[in-house]
């Protein structure tokens, strides 16, 4: 007998109930459970899925889901408040000590909010780390300390610690580790995607440590978390990993459990995860802290996800192209996802997915201008007056025109075209068809055009 089940969002497509060991898999995760009978198993599952989340552990290729004891439900004292929202601050918002101080003031100016704070690396840090890695490949082990970008990163973070009045010890280990890593890269003369992710993770690891230490210093209890230690479990696609469903119960258990015990504001690294098979640090693609924010919002079922940027919300176009761009007050998740997917740098392309699934409003605000209303992104909005919401420019797009008179009145032509893309693993962005032609745009990062031309033999 085959069945399909849902374990806190982890769907089990093929569950064989005819053996004593039940084995099933989903999204590349394999699960197994020993049961005395199918009836007992379904009773256990029923009990564990009602209001008890599941414990998820990830160890080199094995993910175990274990029942959490009922006694582990998180009880807050009457005086204690629940976590209410996520507040994510991008690199532009935490670019310096002065900016971090402003951000701390901003958070504390909402006394009713108990936010999970998600931070990106301080502005420019991720790019400098990548540049340092590239230079390390060919500079020789003894020259690593001459890499300009390494000196910049050290100087920025030490100066920030001094200006915030916190101990440099909070980042000393990371600065030391960073130099060691670059020496390793120099020795190996190669920078793999895996080591690239580990390298850039130092940015978020240090910004969050500095910020949490500052909050504690000013008397506001905070606790720093590395995303890869709290159950943000991803695919092993280094530099562009995707969040796995097992993340939601794991993150919820860790953050809510600690909050109920300590009442310390969580300060979490954006952008980072832990590969489910490799257990190595992964990153969610550039701008991935937005996705961390919406993932945590959904995991904890929070009221709102706030994404604080350096612009007054999502604008009618890229302000770097047209300075008269205006904020868009409302968007739907689908509109925002579409804008992001087609290149509006303001949001990570996949960040709307968890918010949409959890139906949690996302508010895009300006940390430099907190009173501006920003953009609210929800499931639906009044579209009666909507004409054009926002314009996105996507560069370096490859356009493919396929013309054939054999299309006229035929069937299966489009199926053949798309099966070719499927075979080559190429994603198609926009499609326009007529009776005699198809025009497609393809993301050039996803394929090698010469290879494509060789394969297209329709
Ligand atoms: N349609 C748009 N609306 C708002 N900002 C946009 C848009 N298109 C591009 N941008 C750019 O996105 C930037 C904000 O995104 P990002 O740099 O990722 O912010 P952060 O680092 O604070 O998360 C803005 O400074 C702006 O230059
Ligand atoms: N620091 C990472 C992740 C990120 O989301 O940054 P930001 O929020 O500054 O776009 C990057 O630069 O891609």
């Amino acid at each position: 007998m085959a069945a399909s089940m849902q374990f806190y969002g982890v769907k089990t497509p093929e569950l064989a109930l005819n053996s004593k060991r039940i084995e099933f898999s989903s999204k590349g995760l394999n699960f197994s459970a020993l049961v005395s009978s199918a009836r007992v198993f379904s009773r256990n599952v029923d009990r564990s899925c009602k209001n008890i989340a599941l414990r998820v552990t990830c160890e080199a290729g094995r993910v175990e889901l274990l029942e959490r004891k009922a006694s582990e439900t998180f009880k807050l004292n009457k005086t204690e408040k629940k976590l209410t929202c996520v507040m994510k601050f991008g690199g532009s918002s935490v670019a310096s000590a002065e900016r971090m101080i402003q951000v701390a003031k901003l958070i504390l100016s909402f006394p009713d909010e108990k936010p999970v704070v998600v931070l990106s690396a301080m502005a420019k840090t991720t790019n400098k780390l990548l540049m340092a890695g590239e230079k390390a490949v060919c500079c020789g082990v003894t020259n690593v300390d001459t890499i300009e970008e390494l000196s910049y990163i050290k100087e920025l973070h030490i100066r920030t610690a001094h200006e915030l009045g916190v101990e440099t010890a909070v980042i000393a280990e990371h600065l030391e580790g960073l130099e060691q890593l670059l020496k390793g890269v120099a020795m190996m003369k190669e920078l793999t995607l895996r080591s690239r992710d580990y390298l850039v993770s130092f940015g978020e690891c240090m910004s969050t440590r500095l910020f949490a230490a500052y909050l504690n210093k000013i008397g506001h209890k905070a606790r720093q978390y590395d995303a890869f230690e709290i159950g943000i479990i991803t695919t092993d696609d280094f530099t562009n990993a995707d969040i796995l469903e097992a993340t939601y119960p794991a993150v919820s258990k860790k953050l809510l459990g600690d909050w109920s015990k300590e009442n310390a504001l969580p300060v979490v690294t954006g952008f980072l995860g832990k590969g489910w098979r490799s257990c190595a640090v992964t990153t969610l693609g550039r701008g991935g802290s937005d996705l961390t924010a919406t993932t945590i919002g959904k995991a904890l079922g929070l009221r709102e996800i706030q994404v604080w940027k350096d612009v007054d919300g999502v604008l009618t176009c890229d302000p770097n192209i047209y300075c008269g761009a205006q904020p868009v007050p409302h968007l739907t998740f689908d509109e925002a996802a579409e804008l992001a997917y087609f290149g509006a740098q303001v949001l990570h392309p996949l960040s709307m997915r968890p918010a949409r699934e959890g139906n949690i409003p996302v508010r895009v605000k300006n940390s430099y201008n907190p009173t501006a209303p920003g953009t609210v992104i929800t499931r639906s909005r009044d579209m009666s007056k909507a004409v054009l919401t926002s314009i996105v420019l996507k560069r370096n797009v490859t356009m493919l025109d396929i013309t054939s008179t054999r299309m006229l009145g035929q069937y299966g032509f489009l199926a053949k075209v798309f099966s070719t893309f499927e075979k080559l693993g190429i994603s198609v962005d926009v499609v326009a068809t007529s009776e005699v032609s198809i025009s497609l745009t393809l993301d050039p990062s996803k394929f090698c055009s010469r290879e494509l031309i060789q394969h297209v033999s329709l």
Side-chain angles (χ1 to χ4, degrees):
M1 176 177 140
S4 173
M5 303 183 74
Q6 187 91 20
F7 282 86
Y8 267 70
V10 181
K11 193 152 188 264
T12 67
E14 280 174 35
L15 172 59
L17 289 179
N18 53 2
S19 67
K20 287 199 172 177
R21 175 165 284 279
I22 295 180
E23 296 195 297
F24 46 95
S25 64
S26 172
K27 283 208 166 197
L29 301 180
N30 297 314
F31 304 97
S32 85
L34 252 182
V35 291
S36 48
S37 75
R39 202 156 43 88
V40 174
F41 177 75
S42 66
R43 206 176 57 222
N44 285 344
V45 167
D46 188 39
R47 226 190 295 134
S48 41
C49 289
K50 252 183 196 154
N51 53 9
I52 304 167
L54 298 155
R55 178 144 63 92
V56 180
T57 59
C58 163
E59 251 166 57
R62 232 180 75 224
V63 174
E64 288 175 12
L65 296 183
L66 305 166
E67 199 176 338
R68 186 206 293 159
K69 292 183 204 87
S71 58
E72 281 183 317
T73 47
F74 310 114
K75 287 204 179 87
L76 296 170
N77 292 336
K78 274 189 189 144
T79 50
E80 286 169 350
K81 289 208 165 176
K82 283 184 181 170
L83 289 166
T84 55
C85 66
V86 177
M87 290 189 179
K88 178 258 166 174
F89 296 90
S92 53
S93 298
V94 291
S96 61
E98 193 203 328
R99 287 300 311 152
M100 286 197 186
I101 292 167
Q102 290 306 320
V103 164
K105 276 193 190 143
L106 196 158
I107 294 170
L108 302 179
S109 71
F110 296 98
D112 290 339
E113 296 288 15
K114 298 291 163 205
V116 176
V117 178
V118 173
L119 296 189
S120 299
M122 297 177 76
K124 298 195 185 144
T125 302
T126 307
N127 287 345
K128 298 266 184 201
L129 285 166
L130 287 170
M131 189 62 79
E134 297 296 339
K135 287 191 178 171
V137 174
C138 44
C139 76
V141 184
T142 50
N143 294 326
V144 161
D145 50 6
T146 65
I147 296 175
E148 229 175 88
E149 287 75 11
L150 175 61
S151 311
Y152 174 95
I153 290 164
K154 278 185 179 173
E155 200 272 326
L156 171 70
H157 288 84
I158 291 172
R159 178 163 38 91
T160 304
H162 287 149
E163 289 173 7
L164 291 174
V166 303
E167 297 285 338
T168 50
V170 297
I171 48 160
E173 239 176 68
H174 282 83
L175 288 176
E176 176 57 30
L178 174 59
E179 190 162 339
Q180 291 306 323
L181 176 62
L182 290 173
K183 283 188 177 156
V185 170
M187 201 176 285
M188 298 300 288
K189 295 190 173 54
E190 67 166 5
L191 184 62
T192 60
L193 295 182
R194 179 175 169 150
S195 31
R196 200 178 283 251
D197 274 357
Y198 182 44
L199 175 65
V200 292
S201 73
F202 283 79
E204 272 71 11
C205 288
M206 291 195 289
S207 63
T208 46
R209 278 170 173 78
L210 287 170
F211 190 71
Y214 177 69
L215 285 179
N216 282 313
K217 190 202 111 176
I218 61 171
H220 204 85
K221 202 170 164 196
R223 176 166 171 183
Q224 189 277 348
Y225 291 94
D226 291 324
F228 45 85
E229 298 296 356
I230 60 165
I232 301 216
I233 302 161
T234 70
T235 58
D236 283 296
D237 300 309
F238 294 106
T239 74
N240 202 20
D242 198 2
I243 303 274
L244 293 178
E245 290 290 321
T247 294
Y248 299 107
V251 168
S252 157
K253 182 186 176 199
K254 177 70 184 154
L255 293 184
L256 295 181
D258 285 358
W259 172 255
S260 67
K261 282 183 237 140
E262 301 172 3
N263 251 238
L265 218 65
V267 179
V268 184
T269 57
F271 186 44
L272 312 176
K274 181 175 186 167
W276 80 275
R277 198 185 278 275
S278 63
C279 286
V281 175
T282 55
T283 62
L284 308 174
R286 294 306 303 269
S289 302
D290 295 340
L291 178 56
T292 310
T294 53
T295 299
I296 293 176
K298 179 187 162 189
L300 272 56
L302 301 178
R303 191 198 79 247
E304 183 172 273
I305 299 155
Q306 299 175 3
V307 180
W308 292 83
K309 304 263 167 189
D310 59 352
V311 279
D312 285 347
V314 177
L315 307 178
T316 45
C317 66
D318 185 341
N320 301 304
I321 297 174
Y322 174 61
C323 60
Q326 298 294 314
V328 179
H330 289 102
L331 281 174
T332 63
F333 292 130
D334 291 345
E335 286 176 305
E338 194 118 63
L339 284 173
Y341 179 72
F342 284 109
Q345 199 208 325
V346 66
L347 290 168
H348 182 279
L350 297 180
S351 58
M352 288 304 114
R353 199 175 56 188
R356 189 204 282 119
E357 285 165 4
N359 196 18
I360 302 172
V362 176
R363 201 177 285 272
V364 184
K365 297 268 291 174
N366 189 350
S367 70
Y368 289 77
N369 183 18
T371 53
T375 301
V376 183
I377 308 170
T378 48
R379 185 172 279 173
S380 58
R381 70 178 181 110
D382 176 14
M383 299 294 276
S384 59
K385 293 195 182 80
V387 183
L388 195 66
T389 308
S390 185
I391 299 173
V392 181
L393 171 68
K394 189 166 181 171
R395 292 179 206 272
N396 299 324
V397 165
T398 298
M399 187 158 153
L400 185 66
D401 282 320
I402 303 171
T403 314
S404 169
T405 47
R406 281 183 290 158
M407 276 173 75
L408 262 174
Q410 294 297 307
Y411 52 86
F413 187 84
L414 283 179
K416 276 189 192 160
V417 171
F418 284 100
S419 72
T420 306
F421 292 125
E422 187 191 357
K423 264 186 245 151
L424 294 169
I426 293 167
S427 91
V428 177
D429 283 348
V430 180
V431 185
T433 67
S434 76
E435 267 306 290
V436 288
S437 72
I438 316 172
S439 297
L440 309 149
T441 65
L442 311 169
D443 187 335
S445 64
K446 309 243 170 63
F447 73 100
C448 158
S449 53
R450 199 179 307 143
E451 199 186 328
L452 173 73
I453 289 159
Q454 281 165 4
H455 278 78
V456 178
S457 54
L458 292 165

